[in-house]
Amino acid sequence: MRRTALRAGTPPPFIAMAAALLTALGALARPAAAEEQLKEISALTARIEALPDRSRLLFDLTGLPPVTAHPVANPPRIIVDLPEVLFRMEPNAGLSPGDKLIKSYRYGIFAPGRSRVVIDLATPAKILKADSEVAVGGPRLIIELAPTSAGHFAATVAEQARLQPADPPKQTATAAKAPTDKPMVVIDPGHGGVDMGATAKHGEMEKDVVLEFARALRDKIQETGRARVLLTRDHDMFLPLAERVRIARENNASLFVSVHADTLAASRVEGATVYTVSERASDAEAAQMAEKENLADQAAGLESKADAEEVGDILFELTRRETRAYSRQFSHSLISFWREVGALNKNPSRSAGFVVLKAFDVPSVLLELGYLSSEKDLSRLTSQDWRERAAQKTAEAVDAFISARSREARAPGEAPSSAARPQ
């Protein structure tokens, strides 16, 4: 049999083919590896460098993500957008930097696959640099700012808005489409992602406390088997106020419960409060609370927008009136159940113009679990045992409300008729 002679140093054909195949596979794997590396980028530390004529905000990273940055107004802020980054820093990093140009900053998930850093400015500033680079200690994100005039800042904001209007991120929180006649309860853990909410002096953050409670409440409601439950967010991510309302309405929610935990300058104030929506606030504290919560979108770098014009026909008004009556009914029931598990605020039933409660056809309340500024409340809010008991009583209040509505539906002559949803 004739054999093919091979020159010295020439690999056999099958070895050459194998090597070529491995090379090709390696070439295919490199983009995937690079993409995977991008997904796994973490921010390890953050700090501000104050120079005579500028300020730098630096994040030590584990990779080099692409960076875009732009200013926004009312109030003046710098927005820095990145692919998803894990911020593995102390919870209170960036809360009080004390810089003459950078008043404060925050960071977190802004939308699926996207992270954001929001810098609150003490005075108008221009962006000198916003990029990731290789430094002596490793990769880092650098945002370099310098003071500028109010006119130049406003012109830059206007040009940015013209070139790239900022739309809030859209989410996909929807319930499973299984055929069922069970009512839907939507639980809304406040804040999230780049919007951290209130922060306790030990670093506990509202966005984390309320998410843990919301998960416990979901589980307790589902255990009854009489209602479906949907969380507006089930992890640490930002969600605009209007999006939370949309999720409740598009899932035909029978009840919407937004969960929060505030802070106050007066550390002795404690206890839970249940809010409903109203045109006029029940008191000055409720008005201040609503004003602060309605600025949640600004915390993530979005512009606050006026409420959409409401339909003024009689069917709309009747539906809204009935919905608000049911909201107050649930509020009173929730307060009654809550007395058994924890302290109530001295005035536990309040109302104000909360944007997140304005779905005209979904009974809605905002449950303020307590105050992170109160040592007593903080001890309760961070206790798993208390959280389980409080979630259980809240679930019992939800169950009582759902059961009462079901009885009314079976006997429509004994309750106000449920108006159809206007189209």
Side-chain angles (χ1 to χ4, degrees), residues 94-259:
L95 295 180
S96 302
D99 184 72
K100 293 182 179 179
L101 187 57
I102 299 175
K103 184 164 59 176
S104 62
Y105 62 94
R106 53 198 166 274
Y107 42 80
I109 301 298
F110 178 64
R114 296 171 59 190
S115 290
R116 172 167 282 191
V117 177
V118 180
I119 303 172
D120 298 312
L121 299 173
T123 184
K126 59 183 176 181
I127 302 169
L128 299 180
K129 183 177 185 179
D131 203 358
S132 59
E133 61 181 26
V134 177
V136 174
R140 69 180 182 181
L141 167 65
I142 176 170
I143 303 114
E144 189 168 284
L145 309 174
T148 190
S149 67
H152 181 271
F153 184 83
T156 306
V157 170
E159 179 66 11
Q160 169 66 29
R162 185 184 70 81
L163 295 175
Q164 188 175 0
D167 294 323
K170 299 295 183 183
Q171 310 302 336
T172 56
T174 54
K177 298 299 182 181
T180 177
D181 58 355
K182 292 180 182 179
M184 168 64 72
V185 177
V186 172
I187 304 171
D188 173 45
H191 306 281
V194 67
D195 174 19
M196 298 177 181
T199 305
K201 66 179 183 180
H202 305 300
E204 298 89 349
M205 290 187 286
E206 178 181 7
K207 65 175 184 177
D208 298 328
V209 170
V210 299
L211 179 57
E212 289 299 315
F213 183 87
R215 287 170 173 166
L217 178 56
R218 173 194 59 193
D219 295 344
K220 298 297 183 183
I221 295 173
Q222 287 179 334
E223 286 174 5
T224 69
R226 286 187 285 274
R228 296 173 296 148
V229 186
L230 176 66
L231 298 188
T232 56
R233 67 177 184 94
D234 193 20
H235 56 286
D236 183 22
M237 67 177 298
F238 170 72
L239 203 61
L241 296 175
E243 193 71 6
R244 299 169 190 265
V245 177
R246 183 193 66 80
I247 290 170
R249 295 199 67 236
E250 289 193 356
N251 286 279
N252 296 312
S254 297
L255 182 65
F256 176 86
V257 181
S258 190
V259 186

Side-chain angles (χ1 to χ4, degrees), residues 298-311:
Q298 282 191 6
L302 298 179
E303 294 297 329
S304 294
K305 297 181 180 180
D307 295 342
E309 185 177 356
E310 295 183 337
V311 180

